[in-house]
């Protein structure tokens, strides 16, 4: 049973053309994350939501925005994709660590969306 | 600044032998460490974790060792199986880092039949 779903799995867009990636979860987790992963690099956290509270990483470009209309869904908007934004985008969820035992927590990842910018 | 490092991009091991994957970290405030496994075209999946109050955690064929003084952890897979061939990511977190995990760059393990 899919728990974290990402659509589409592959996305091709043109340089400068806005694109939206979506993520949904059936786990009812408080926290949702967006990561960017380029080849042979560590997943890089772009931002995360704790419920409706948005937490942006300091080095995330303004070109990347996110929306979380409800617990289940989270969107990544890339306003003007550049060639350097071609990557795998991973969505993940977790429970809030502060509400439980950190040492039992983990993140659940979706399969990712591979973005190609032409 | 990469706070979690996996210095070996790849590792090849014969089936039935031990695989040892290594990970180093720099932030002494990390107190929770995880290993994820990733197959091509899939997202990472949780494999095993360890908190800083332990130095070893075992789950079947998988054992994670933590050396806090050296800021080093390792994942041992015994015996290695061809289905273990994947990319393994080390990740670290802690109460001080809130809801964030920091990932290494991954080690691609190939288990040769």
């Amino acid at each position: 049973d899919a728990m974290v779903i990402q659509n589409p799995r592959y996305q091709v867009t043109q340089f400068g053309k806005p694109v939206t990636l979506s993520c949904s979860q059936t786990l009812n987790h408080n926290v949702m994350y967006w990561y960017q992963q380029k080849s042979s690099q560590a997943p890089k956290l772009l931002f995360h939501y704790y419920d409706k509270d948005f937490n942006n990483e300091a080095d995330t470009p303004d070109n990347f925005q996110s929306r979380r209309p409800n617990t289940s869904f989270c969107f990544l908007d890339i306003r003007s994709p550049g060639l350097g934004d071609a990557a795998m985008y991973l969505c993940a969820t977790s429970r809030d660590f502060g509400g439980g035992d950190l040492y039992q927590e983990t993140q659940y990842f979706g399969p990712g969306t591979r973005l190609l910018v032409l | 600044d990469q706070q979690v490092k996996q210095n070996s991009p790849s590792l090849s091991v014969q089936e039935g032998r031990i695989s040892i994957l290594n990970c180093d970290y720099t932030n002494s405030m990390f107190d929770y460490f995880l290993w994820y496994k990733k197959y091509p075209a899939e997202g990472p999946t949780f494999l095993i974790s360890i908190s800083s109050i332990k130095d070893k955690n075992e789950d079947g064929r998988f054992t994670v060792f933590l050396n806090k003084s050296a800021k080093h952890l390792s994942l041992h897979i015994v015996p290695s199986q061809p289905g273990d061939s994947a990319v393994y990511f080390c990740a670290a977190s802690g109460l001080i880092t809130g809801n964030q995990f920091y990932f290494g760059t991954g080690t691609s393990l190939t288990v040769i039949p």
Side-chain angles (χ1 to χ4, degrees):
Chain A
D1 289 338
M3 296 185 290
V4 183
I5 302 163
Q6 290 189 246
N7 286 306
R9 295 293 306 274
Y10 299 90
Q11 176 74 56
V12 181
T13 191
Q14 291 180 326
F15 183 94
K17 184 175 181 181
V19 66
T20 294
L21 310 181
S22 73
C23 177
S24 63
Q25 54 136 338
T26 60
L27 298 162
N28 205 34
H29 282 168
N30 300 86
V31 192
M32 293 187 77
Y33 308 78
W34 279 105
Y35 289 87
Q36 179 193 65
Q37 186 184 16
K38 297 185 178 180
S39 181
S40 302
Q41 295 184 18
K44 178 182 179 301
L45 182 65
L46 296 173
F47 23 62
H48 73 278
Y49 276 93
Y50 168 46
D51 290 332
K52 286 189 176 295
D53 292 336
F54 178 69
N55 298 272
N56 197 31
E57 292 299 298
D59 58 353
T60 298
D62 292 340
N63 197 27
F64 291 88
Q65 303 286 318
S66 186
R67 296 169 283 136
R68 189 179 186 188
N70 54 51
T71 301
S72 300
F73 285 87
C74 195
F75 300 96
L76 170 62
D77 301 308
I78 309 176
R79 293 194 293 190
S80 182
L83 298 178
D85 296 328
M88 174 72 82
Y89 289 88
L90 295 165
C91 174
T93 74
S94 74
R95 292 187 297 180
D96 171 33
F97 299 167
D101 182 355
L102 166 67
Y103 307 124
Q104 301 298 321
E105 300 300 340
T106 183
Q107 291 178 317
Y108 295 83
F109 283 85
T113 295
R114 182 162 296 283
L115 177 68
L116 181 62
V117 181
L118 300 178
Chain B
D1 227 8
Q2 191 72 20
Q3 298 190 59
V4 178
K5 298 177 184 177
Q6 294 175 257
N7 292 319
S8 298
S10 62
L11 175 68
S12 291
V13 171
Q14 289 284 343
E15 181 178 5
R17 307 293 287 266
I18 185 171
S19 296
I20 300 177
L21 296 93
N22 294 303
C23 177
D24 298 291
Y25 61 96
T26 58
N27 190 339
S28 58
M29 301 304 292
F30 289 146
D31 55 11
Y32 181 48
F33 305 90
L34 309 91
W35 285 94
Y36 288 84
K37 178 178 180 178
K38 183 182 184 304
Y39 291 118
E42 295 183 13
T45 55
F46 171 72
L47 188 59
I48 192 169
S49 64
I50 189 168
S51 74
S52 59
I53 61 173
K54 296 183 176 181
D55 53 20
K56 175 182 173 182
N57 188 26
E58 193 171 350
D59 183 2
R61 296 186 297 113
F62 301 92
T63 303
V64 56
F65 295 92
L66 175 62
N67 182 334
K68 289 187 291 293
S69 61
K71 295 193 182 70
H72 177 83
L73 63 155
S74 61
L75 174 68
H76 293 210
I77 307 173
V78 183
S80 301
Q81 299 173 353
D84 297 330
S85 298
V87 177
Y88 290 79
F89 289 97
C90 170
S93 187
L95 291 174
I96 197 71
T97 65
N99 289 308
Q100 293 188 24
F101 292 93
Y102 295 85
F103 283 82
T105 52
T107 296
S108 177
L109 172 66
T110 301
V111 180
I112 303 164

